[in-house]
Amino acid sequence: MTRLPRRQQNRQNRERAILDAALKVFAAMGYTGTTMDAVAAEAGVTKPTLYSYFPSKESLFQAMMLGKRDVMLDVFEHPSDQGMVADLLIFAWAYADTVMRPEMLSLARLIIGEVQRFPEIGRAYQASGPDHLLRGIMRYLEGQRRAGRLAFDDAELAAQDLWGLILSAPRTQALYMPDALPDRAVLGRYILNGLRVFLKAYSTTPGPDLEQLDALQRAPSQQVIHDA
């Protein structure tokens, strides 16, 4: 792997730190309550420095959400050498490890509370996060359909089924009961069951795929994925 020049690496590190700080501030103050001054202070940079990276609160919010999407979609952009079932399991845990973070749950709650008065905030959240993620899932599933691994008529519905089956119930509960977040064993139960249902519905070879899913879930190496 080619190492980035020091200046470029430093800029990348600072941008990552700014985005991490932005998530903390947006999660604590909501979209309307967040200011660039507050993000700059949290990130430990000057306001002019912050603006040199992100010219507006809107662009900062979008970059923050797109960065989370890229983490979740990484395995679909760079598939594993173990095939589709492993890719789906890796994605499921990356998705869970992102959206179940307390900051992401807090941000989602605040966005829900703001959309009635400021519907444009809901549209910005949807466009920068879920819509982009949905398109990435659809691209991967369509590729698997072309390869003969999946069968479906509507890629959007198949993608919605995938993320709904693996995490909809525990995430909904966590949004409304922040003091009762599910542990990893509970998340694993939902993820495994959701992927089983998805493969039974859409796989062209459900029997072997379900066997591989169970083997991957039992394998000690899978712990690396769970704890990433």
Side-chain angles (χ1 to χ4, degrees), residues 7-56:
R7 179 176 295 180
Q8 188 175 349
Q9 184 65 56
N10 289 342
R11 181 174 178 84
Q12 192 175 85
N13 291 342
R14 179 171 286 179
E15 180 176 310
R16 189 176 299 116
I18 290 172
L19 292 174
D20 288 343
L23 176 56
K24 292 180 182 178
V25 177
F26 277 114
M29 305 176 69
Y31 186 88
T32 54
T34 292
T35 65
M36 296 295 270
D37 290 287
V39 174
E42 179 67 33
V45 300
T46 65
K47 194 172 177 181
T49 296
L50 176 58
Y51 275 107
S52 73
Y53 284 82
F54 303 101
S56 66

Side-chain angles (χ1 to χ4, degrees), residues 88 159 170:
L88 292 174

